[in-house]
Amino acid sequence: MKPDLAVLQKHVTPSPFGRGAETVMDPTYRNGTELKVDEIAFRLPEDKKSLYETFVNSIEGELYTSMFVGKSVSLKFYKLAIYGEGGHFDWHRDSTHSDAHHGMVLVVLNTEWEGGELMLRHQGIKTIVNMHPTKYARKSGEGLRPVVVAFYTDTEHKVMPVTKGTQLVLQYDVEAIKQPPREWVTPPSYTPLKEAFHCHQHIASHINTYPNLHQTLVQAVADEIRELHQAGTTVVTFPLTHLYRKTSVKRKYLKGTDSTLFDTLEKHFNVVLHPVLIRAIEDGNDYDCLEQFYAHKYQLSEDNEEEPSGAQRK
């Protein structure tokens, strides 16, 4: 909790960010430094290595029960971000580094800074997170528990200016992919939706998270689709909740409520994913950004065995 900042500052580089197809440096938008994964290593005593592995494994377990139900989840260390006094990062979405990269995890190492709150925004919902470790009682006195923040890659986020001290943030990529069925294992009696609901009930007491998709909501969607079919509508389409890379618009890469909804509706209907290419344009005003969306026909690659060539997705 009290790292030697002087050692780190000797090796850091200014943090760039993506603006369209370019990688740029703009301190008015992002002011911070970083060490990438190939520039830093965890050299822990033998008796401490298992503690770090347990820490990472516990985060993976919580992600499996709250964000990626039914998927194989792995945490990959990406970089150490450093925000000194005045450091900040305006609203943005992080780039994805693989088709299976669907989440981010942030953990702050130290305690001595002020400001630097993390803001999250998705579909008009905003939340502010105080990244300072929380205090708890233990036998030997008072201890500190780090705040672990996890969110999907298409969630916009912002680091408020640090007003005093230096904030050190470990950043991890979360890779998740649908687990293939095992022929030698008896199929479970529960549905993905029930599993998500029960897991959410289990962790609700100690994890702050957006509610998972409730069964009554899914049933309402299914009933409305049936009514439309009975009225003569043969095809019903609606957009997914999250954004995806073009190459990862597949069932096995769906995340959160998209995955749960797909798995549940597939039991009643012929469900097909259709890709739509989305292009976001800013009008140049930092305080009032306008996003305009354009849908284009998207030709799938010929080696895609999961969907027919020429399929479109929304």
Side-chain angles (χ1 to χ4, degrees):
M1 287 299 181
K2 295 188 177 182
D4 190 337
L5 295 177
V7 174
L8 297 175
Q9 295 291 1
K10 293 178 181 179
H11 304 283
V12 298
T13 56
S15 298
F17 64 94
R19 178 177 286 166
E22 296 182 298
T23 299
V24 299
M25 302 291 299
D26 184 352
T28 63
Y29 197 90
R30 181 180 191 181
N31 182 13
T33 56
E34 61 185 45
L35 286 167
K36 288 293 183 65
V37 64
D38 57 350
E39 300 171 318
I40 192 170
F42 296 99
R43 294 183 178 177
L44 303 174
E46 287 298 326
D47 60 333
K48 298 293 185 181
K49 286 185 178 179
S50 61
L51 291 177
Y52 177 72
E53 293 173 355
T54 300
F55 175 69
V56 171
N57 291 338
S58 66
I59 296 176
E60 292 174 341
E62 301 291 7
L63 294 177
Y64 169 79
T65 58
S66 58
M67 295 174 63
F68 300 102
V69 175
K71 297 182 182 294
S72 175
V73 179
S74 64
L75 215 61
K76 294 188 175 181
F77 178 58
Y78 178 57
K79 69 179 178 182
L80 172 67
I82 302 175
Y83 294 98
E85 189 167 329
H88 67 278
F89 196 176
D90 213 333
W91 287 112
H92 66 285
R93 294 187 183 99
D94 287 347
S95 301
T96 52
H97 305 129
S98 70
D99 292 346
H101 179 197
H102 289 312
M104 310 292 298
V105 165
L106 304 180
V107 183
V108 178
L109 287 179
N110 58 330
T111 62
E112 301 194 3
W113 86 88
E114 295 178 10
E117 296 86 357
L118 175 68
M119 297 183 68
L120 303 174
R121 180 173 67 187
H122 188 253
Q123 294 191 331
I125 299 176
K126 292 182 180 180
T127 186
I128 300 177
V129 182
N130 180 351
M131 299 292 288
H132 280 90
T134 58
K135 296 181 179 180
Y136 71 99
R138 60 183 182 182
K139 292 183 179 180
S140 59
E142 194 174 70
L144 290 174
R145 180 182 290 111
V147 175
V148 179
V149 182
F151 50 91
Y152 296 114
T153 51
D154 62 318
T155 301
E156 293 179 284
H157 50 288
K158 174 181 182 178
V159 179
M160 298 296 289
V162 173
T163 57
K164 183 179 179 181
T166 301
Q167 184 187 72
L168 304 177
V169 187
L170 291 178
Q171 180 173 321
Y172 296 85
D173 292 347
V174 180
E175 293 195 343
I177 188 169
K178 192 173 184 66
Q179 294 176 333
R182 300 176 182 176
E183 296 179 358
W184 52 272
V185 175
T186 303
S189 59
Y190 50 77
T191 65
L193 183 64
K194 287 182 179 179
E195 182 184 2
F197 178 71
H198 289 306
C199 288
H200 179 66
Q201 283 185 317
H202 174 70
I203 65 172
S205 61
H206 65 284
I207 292 184
N208 296 320
T209 180
Y210 291 124
N212 284 333
L213 198 59
H214 197 277
Q215 191 164 5
T216 56
L217 297 178
V218 178
Q219 188 60 49
V221 175
D223 292 344
E224 187 167 349
I225 293 175
R226 287 195 183 93
E227 291 178 6
L228 291 170
H229 284 339
Q230 293 172 0
T233 301
T234 57
V235 178
V236 178
T237 66
F238 51 87
L240 299 178
T241 302
H242 296 280
L243 300 177
Y244 298 87
R245 293 161 62 112
K246 288 189 293 184
T247 53
S248 64
V249 188
K250 300 176 183 177
R251 176 184 175 182
K252 64 180 179 179
Y253 292 130
L254 293 182
K255 49 195 173 187
T257 54
D258 291 343
S259 177
T260 302
L261 188 62
F262 186 100
D263 289 345
T264 304
L265 293 182
E266 191 182 38
K267 299 180 183 298
H268 308 283
F269 308 102
N270 179 23
V271 183
V272 181
L273 296 172
H274 295 278
V276 168
L277 182 63
I278 296 178
R279 179 184 178 195
I281 298 177
E282 295 184 358
D283 64 359
N285 188 332
D286 291 339
Y287 300 99
D288 186 22
C289 293
L290 175 65
E291 288 190 344
Q292 302 175 6
F293 300 97
Y294 300 89
H296 303 273
K297 289 184 178 180
Y298 173 61
Q299 186 75 24
L300 294 174
S301 61
E302 295 180 357
D303 60 352
N304 188 337
E305 299 178 355
E306 298 189 14
E307 298 168 335
S309 178
Q312 297 178 21
R313 177 177 315 197
K314 289 185 178 179

